[in-house]
Amino acid sequence: MTSVYDNERLAAGYAFDRPPVHRRILESARLESPVGRALDIGCGAGVSTAALVPWARQVVGVEPVPAMLAHRRAVAPSARFVVGTAEALPFGAASFGLVTAAGSLNYTDLPPALAEVARVLTSDGVFLLYDFAKGRHSPTTDALAAWFAVFEQRFPGSSGWRPLTVAELPLAGTGLRLLDCADVEVPVPMTFDGYLRYVLGEVGVANAIARGDDSAERAREWCRRTLAEVFSSGDVVVVFRGYLATLVPADDGRR
């Protein structure tokens, strides 16, 4: 079955028009000195992989949809990318001192995916599982949330994504244990043009255009016209809310 992410427009939007949320979340993890190798599971266009570069001497991104990797060299030129799935990672045991997954395990069969993370993680390694919601809130105006609700009605998202509750992860028998989980908020000042590019790169817009329900020009004009009032006073601080969970090998002895 064709993935909703098998979409050239979506790949470009994810590569070039996403705000720097991944890097900010990883900074909050307060990682120690760089590890030898880090793996980003379900890396998409590679933005989350690029965010790993300061924390590893070698960074690898694995992505099940080849089309999403179209701009990988521009996004993360020093990283290596591989096509593969979380349930069958194409790497040897104990290959990575750091593994991350940013909203990607929501599409997987969790028990085998988590077991694969444990398999490729070194005995002293760390698995950072994180995700964040769409940029629909601002601390300075309620108009953004109201606009985003209408935007999602016009450009509904796609199926395939399933909610994930960290406290309910099926960790038994996987070789992982939960060390910590914290809510995160990343405020990002965004210009009108920057936010417009961001929302035009959302899944709902790309799918509407691919289905022929809308054209790129009509979608852009509707978003530009309706967003103008939200940004009438200038830049808007957009808050991306999410979580960051730290998991480690089950028998590593850390507390």
Side-chain angles (χ1 to χ4, degrees):
M1 185 173 63
T2 302
S3 168
V4 296
Y5 290 97
D6 190 6
N7 185 304
E8 293 181 5
R9 179 178 299 277
L10 198 61
Y14 272 51
F16 303 118
D17 298 323
R18 312 296 281 185
V21 180
H22 295 280
R23 175 179 56 81
R24 298 272 297 277
I25 292 178
L26 290 175
E27 287 172 351
S28 73
R30 298 182 180 178
L31 296 167
E32 297 179 358
S33 57
V35 300
R37 301 180 76 205
L39 173 66
D40 181 27
I41 297 175
C43 65
V47 174
S48 54
T49 312
L52 270 175
V53 169
W55 288 282
R57 289 182 285 277
Q58 181 184 18
V59 176
V60 181
V62 61
E63 167 58 37
V65 183
M68 287 298 291
L69 296 173
H71 307 285
R72 63 192 183 280
R73 293 187 179 88
V75 174
S78 65
R80 174 190 170 209
F81 291 92
V82 177
V83 175
T85 66
E87 296 90 344
L89 293 172
F91 309 105
S95 297
F96 300 95
L98 176 62
V99 177
T100 60
S104 58
L105 295 194
N106 301 71
Y107 298 90
T108 68
D109 184 1
L110 277 173
L114 292 167
E116 279 291 270
V117 171
R119 183 183 65 81
V120 303
L121 198 61
T122 59
S123 60
D124 60 348
V126 173
F127 173 38
L128 297 179
L129 174 66
Y130 69 97
D131 199 4
F132 52 91
K134 298 175 182 178
R136 63 189 308 152
H137 297 287
S138 172
T140 58
T141 175
D142 294 332
L144 183 63
W147 178 86
F148 208 95
V150 178
F151 167 78
E152 287 191 311
Q153 289 178 352
R154 182 180 175 94
F155 301 106
S158 57
S159 60
W161 183 91
R162 296 182 297 276
L164 182 155
T165 302
V166 172
E168 298 175 1
L169 285 173
L171 295 177
T174 64
L176 292 173
R177 67 181 179 89
L178 180 64
L179 197 64
D180 182 53
C181 184
D183 293 333
V184 294
E185 284 196 356
V186 179
V188 181
M190 299 189 73
T191 65
F192 173 78
D193 287 341
Y195 192 81
L196 178 61
R197 291 194 303 272
Y198 161 62
V199 294
L200 286 172
E202 280 293 289
V203 172
V205 176
N207 285 345
I209 295 170
R211 291 192 304 265
D213 297 342
D214 221 325
S215 68
E217 293 75 17
R218 285 197 304 269
R220 179 179 179 83
E221 175 55 25
W222 183 88
C223 290
R224 187 199 62 77
R225 175 174 51 81
T226 56
L227 268 174
E229 185 175 349
V230 179
F231 284 81
S232 60
S233 298
D235 296 356
V236 171
V237 174
V238 181
V239 176
F240 294 83
R241 298 170 176 169
Y243 67 86
L244 171 65
T246 303
L247 296 95
V248 297
D251 57 356
D252 79 331
R254 279 176 283 190
R255 293 291 182 268

